[in-house]
Structures are given as structure tokens and as C-alpha cells.
Amino acid sequence: MSSEAQIAAVDLFCGVGGLTHGLTKAGIDVRLGVDLDPACRYPMEQNNAARFLEADVSKLCASDILAAFGDARVTLMAGCAPCQPFSSYSQPARREKRHADWELLNSFSSLVLSVRPTFVTMENVPPLRRQEIFGQFVAALKEAGYYVDFAVVDGRDIGLPQRRQRLVLVASILGPIKLPKVGKPKVTVRDTIANLPPIPAGKADATDPLHVSASLSAMNLKRIRHSKPGGTWRDWPKDLIAPCHTRDTGTTYPSVYGRMEWDEPAPTMTTQCYGFGNGRFGHPEQDRAISLREAAMLQSFPKDYAFVPPNEPINFSTLGRLIGNAVPVLLGEYIGSVLIEHLKAYGH
């Protein structure tokens, strides 16, 4: 049996399956995905071989994880807890408070220490590494006999067509493990979405319901027509500039109402990435915001990744949240390859 086939994994906080899909592409057998959000069931199970369990991770027992592992000799627990409490997009006062979601990292830590898998991985936003709770998590792993490494990975370095930085941790019971630095060629917006059919604002492609863009008001349609790729709202005629941007407090937000650039990576995909006014989410040349499919592809999901059952209505808010919060598939593949190479190095 090859080393790739020997790693059985459980993906906690699995979302729509970005991490699972990437780990699977690397050769890891993801057997179970767990998430509290029922909207994650269809994409997780439709695109991956893993079973989906709708459950609160804080209420899981070690036996739930062990049952999924079965008789596997080499095991992996992955846990990407919700990042909102740590995110730089959160308000400072909220970041300083101990948020209820923070406890999910403690729940994950408790499960790891009870199950003692061969490998552990997690990813989150970079500010988490400065929080006491993360230091406690790392210390607990080391005390339990794990070798640990963590680093901030720039998505552009692993071929992600997006400016996205994530804190990645890997831990191994086998021996010292290291996250290698990589420097793949830059992948651009053009490389990723240029071949999709053009669509107008508020419309969907006839062959792909997810290739749909949000409607634009008459004012925002005028604004995007005056927007330059890589430019800002300062490029507009004065009568199109929003009152909030004319105040001193608004001058520090030049990237809202912006177009992407064809030959650069996209900005970080957020849960609001389908809205023209929510960031630099305007299409490089079409007069609309990027579609949900384009957002998913910029998150490195395959073009045919299914997010909703056939004929089900497209809900921008729900799908924007699921896509924006997803672990990019390429990041999952990078993590999986690190673990597989580590396993080979130790003779398994």
C-alpha cells in the first residue's frame, strides 16, 4: 500500500470541502467532514468521497473521530475553526474580547489530545498567532509529544490567484516537521476566469447557475463604468462619489468600489465578494461584480464544483459566506503534500 493511501483524515469545520478537496488531490483519504452548517452537506458530499456529519464540534466525542478512522494506521485531524474573532476585518474591540468562537479552538485541542492522531493541521488568519489561545494550543501539542511547525503562507506563493495570507500549522507524532517555503509562478485573474462566458449584472449564464452576478443599481452601474482596473473611486466624476467617501474618515478606503486587474492576483475573497461596493470585486472589464463561480475559482475550486443541488435557488448571502470562508483547495493540496512527504521521510 502506498503512503498516500495510508493517511485517513477527518476534517472538522469542513465548510464546503475546500480543505478536503485539496487533501484528497494530494492523496489523503478524507473520510469524514464535520460542520454545524447544513448548507455545507451538499457541496461536501457531492464533490468529495467523505461522509458529512452535521454537528457542533464542541459536542463531538473522541469516539466519533475514532469511528471514522476505523483501522487506519496513520491518521490526520484537520481543524479550521471560524476565524472571525481573529480576523483583521473585525473591529478592534471585538478582536480584543474573548469571543465564544475562540473556544472552538480549545474544543479541537481537546479532541486532538484525546484521539492522538498521527498528524494535526489547522489554518486560520495570521493575527491568531499573536493570541494567547494559540500559544496554549501549540504548547499542549508539544507537551503531548507532537513536533509542531507553523508559518504564514502567502497564497500567491502556492499558485493561488489571490492575495490571501493564512496561518498554517502542522504537527506530527513521528518526528520534526517543517512547512517548506515555495515560490510558484504568479497566477492571475486572467489565468483563472478569462474563459468564462460574459454575463451582464444581475444575470446568470445559461449553462452554469453559479456563474451569476449581483444586480447593480443605476448609480453603481454608472460608477463601475467609470472604474479602471486597479483604480479607485477617486477616478470617478465628483457627482458619483458617495458622501461617506468625501469625509475624512472615508479617504482611507480606496479599495471599495474597485475593479480587479487582469494580470494580477485577485484581492482576498471575503464573504461579501459578490458585491461591487464591498471591495475590489468589480470584474476587470465587464460592468458588474464578479460572479459566485468566479469567486469560487479564485478560491481555486474547480470550475465544475457543485455548491447547490440542481434547480435550487441561488442565495448570494449564503453562497458568498460559504465561498469566502472556504479553505482554498490549493492550500489544502499544499498541506497534504507536506504531510505525505513527511510520512515518506519516516519510512512509512
Side-chain angles (χ1 to χ4, degrees), residues 152-232:
V152 174
V153 176
D154 189 322
R156 292 170 292 184
D157 292 338
I158 60 172
L160 189 68
Q162 180 190 159
R163 298 178 182 90
R164 191 183 192 95
Q165 293 194 327
R166 302 297 288 184
L167 173 66
V168 175
L169 175 145
V170 288
S172 170
I173 207 77
L174 301 178
I177 187 168
K178 188 74 176 172
L179 285 164
K181 290 186 177 181
V182 291
K184 291 189 176 181
K186 179 175 71 175
V187 180
T188 68
V189 172
R190 187 188 303 276
D191 297 328
T192 309
I193 67 169
N195 290 332
L196 289 180
I199 54 172
K203 301 296 182 180
D205 176 54
T207 62
D208 181 6
L210 204 74
H211 185 33
V212 57
S213 66
S215 299
L216 288 178
S217 67
M219 175 62 79
N220 279 343
L221 188 57
K222 291 179 182 177
R223 287 168 171 165
I224 199 168
R225 285 172 175 165
H226 282 87
S227 297
K228 304 172 184 176
T232 74

Side-chain angles (χ1 to χ4, degrees), residues 237-311:
K238 288 185 179 180
D239 63 318
L240 297 183
I241 297 176
C244 62
H245 293 149
T246 62
R247 296 192 291 267
D248 289 342
T249 55
T251 59
T252 57
Y253 297 95
S255 64
V256 297
Y257 294 100
R259 283 190 190 268
M260 296 178 184
E261 298 177 80
W262 272 131
D263 297 316
E264 294 294 335
T268 301
M269 293 294 103
T270 70
T271 59
Q272 302 292 316
C273 59
Y274 55 86
F276 171 52
N278 298 328
R280 194 174 297 283
F281 300 130
H283 189 277
E285 64 183 38
Q286 297 171 39
D287 293 334
R288 60 174 177 83
I290 59 170
S291 71
L292 291 169
R293 176 64 72 196
E294 287 164 335
M297 291 172 68
L298 291 167
Q299 281 276 61
S300 63
F301 283 95
K303 185 179 178 180
D304 60 351
Y305 203 88
F307 287 86
V308 294
N311 302 317

Side-chain angles (χ1 to χ4, degrees), residues 309-329:
N311 302 317
E312 182 170 302
I314 299 296
N315 184 299
F316 278 94
S317 178
T318 298
L319 288 167
R321 172 175 53 81
L322 295 177
I323 292 169
N325 282 337
V327 177
V329 174

